């Protein structure tokens, strides 16, 4: 399972990095050392993600653990898309609050600074986590399969959405049509324009898929712009500029 997670990461990040080279040549120029670090941390995270995933897969196949089902008739057909939304909403909730926790000074210095060391983040940064942070992400889906029934194909959709959004939110430009992030749909969904603002300002835009918790908790500062779009060189995203004050660890948030 660790190998599967690693290959999934390499294929997804590699594909979107290649798309970046085609769409915005030179966007990642000068970031070779950073990208190598991102890949190294991400492969370490893949090994951590693979452990609970492997245990759950074995238990489901051999011991009947979990509420994963393979027969579509087990639940009404309308439940299939609902289960996907339930998993995404639950995962988003978990991510928002653990992400807020990771921005408290102690946890930021200990773990989350690894992820924010990518400035600007690239398509390879989606899983570039310290092992402590990787563990918080690795357990959420394996825990959910014990509480929320889901068809195996619906689970595959959840994992695909998680992978694609994790990569595209970090790659420094918008791959989605403007209506998805400028229009009414974008008011509820997170894309690169929303998440890049987190990597610049640190104390906002903590969500993963949806803007619900950011809006409820007053941490949504809306979408941002990519600095390269207004620069003569047209090279890097807004994450290229470090936040005022220098070191990333100075921008950890204390959550009340």
């Amino acid at each position: 399972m660790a190998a599967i997670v690693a290959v999934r990461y390499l294929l997804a990040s590699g594909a979107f990095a290649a798309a970046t080279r085609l769409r915005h040549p030179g966007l990642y120029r000068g970031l070779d050392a950073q990208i190598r670090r991102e890949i190294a941390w991400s492969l370490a995270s893949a090994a951590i993600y693979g452990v609970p995933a492997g245990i759950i897969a074995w238990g489901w196949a051999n011991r009947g653990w979990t509420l994963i089902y393979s027969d579509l008739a087990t639940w009404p057909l309308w439940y299939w898309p609902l289960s996907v939304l339930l998993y995404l909403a639950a995962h988003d909730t978990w991510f928002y609050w653990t992400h807020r926790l990771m921005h408290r000074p102690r946890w930021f210095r200990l773990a989350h600074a690894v992820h924010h060391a990518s400035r600007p983040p690239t398509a390879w940064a989606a899983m570039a986590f310290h092992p402590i942070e990787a563990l918080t992400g690795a357990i959420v889906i394996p825990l959910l399969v014990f509480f929320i029934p889901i068809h195996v194909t619906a689970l595959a959709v959840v994992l695909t959405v998680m992978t694609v959004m994790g990569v595209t939110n970090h790659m420094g430009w918008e791959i989605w049509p403007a209506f998805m992030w400028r229009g009414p749909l974008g008011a509820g969904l997170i894309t690169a324009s929303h998440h890049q603002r987190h990597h610049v300002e640190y104390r906002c835009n903590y969500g993963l898929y949806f803007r619900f918790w950011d809006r409820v908790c007053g941490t949504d500062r809306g979408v941002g712009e990519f600095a390269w779009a207004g620069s003569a060189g047209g090279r890097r995203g807004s994450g290229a500029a470090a936040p005022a004050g220098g070191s990333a660890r100075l921008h950890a948030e204390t959550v009340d």
Side-chain angles (χ1 to χ4, degrees):
M1 289 302 297
I4 289 173
V5 175
V7 169
R8 185 183 70 188
Y9 157 76
L10 291 171
L11 290 176
S13 291
F16 285 109
T20 300
R21 287 194 295 271
L22 291 174
R23 183 66 177 83
H24 296 286
L27 188 64
Y28 297 162
R29 188 180 300 124
L31 299 179
D32 292 351
Q34 175 185 305
I35 288 172
R36 286 193 293 270
R37 289 195 302 271
E38 290 171 347
I39 294 173
W41 283 112
S42 295
L43 291 178
S45 295
I48 294 171
Y49 272 72
V51 173
I55 293 172
I56 293 302
W58 178 86
W60 169 63
N62 296 283
R63 293 292 186 269
W65 298 349
T66 82
L67 297 179
I68 302 172
Y69 60 96
S70 56
D71 184 356
L72 278 173
T74 302
W75 282 78
L77 194 56
W78 56 261
Y79 179 74
W80 192 99
L82 177 61
S83 66
V84 172
L85 292 176
L86 289 173
Y87 268 67
L88 293 179
H91 189 194
D92 189 69
T93 300
W94 175 273
F95 182 88
Y96 177 87
W97 290 107
T98 55
H99 194 185
R100 287 285 300 267
L101 175 65
M102 286 294 163
H103 274 265
R104 296 191 66 171
R106 177 182 178 184
W107 290 103
F108 192 93
R109 290 190 296 268
L110 181 63
H112 196 48
V114 166
H115 186 65
H116 276 279
S118 294
R119 295 181 300 193
T122 75
W124 298 101
M127 292 182 63
F129 304 129
H130 185 280
I132 292 175
E133 185 171 4
L135 183 60
T136 68
I139 62 175
V140 56
I141 299 298
L143 286 177
L144 288 176
V145 299
F146 287 100
F147 298 97
I148 304 176
I150 190 167
H151 189 267
V152 63
T153 58
L155 182 59
V157 169
V158 170
L159 295 175
T160 300
V161 171
M162 178 179 72
T163 301
V164 170
M165 291 193 71
V167 175
T168 58
N169 286 353
H170 288 89
M171 62 187 203
W173 58 283
E174 278 292 358
I175 195 171
W176 307 113
F179 77 86
M180 284 191 63
W181 57 279
R182 284 181 176 166
L185 189 60
L189 293 178
I190 291 173
T191 65
S193 295
H194 186 268
H195 191 65
Q196 67 85 25
R197 192 158 195 164
H198 171 76
H199 276 268
V200 173
E201 299 182 20
Y202 285 63
R203 300 173 181 174
C204 64
N205 297 13
Y206 295 101
L208 177 61
Y209 307 121
F210 310 114
R211 294 171 64 174
F212 173 79
W213 284 110
D214 275 311
R215 291 187 180 279
V216 168
C217 298
T219 56
D220 193 306
R221 294 186 184 170
V223 298
E225 297 181 353
F226 301 104
W228 59 262
S231 67
R235 188 167 72 90
R236 293 186 180 175
S238 59
S247 175
R249 64 176 177 269
L250 297 179
H251 298 267
E253 175 194 27
T254 299
V255 181
D256 294 329

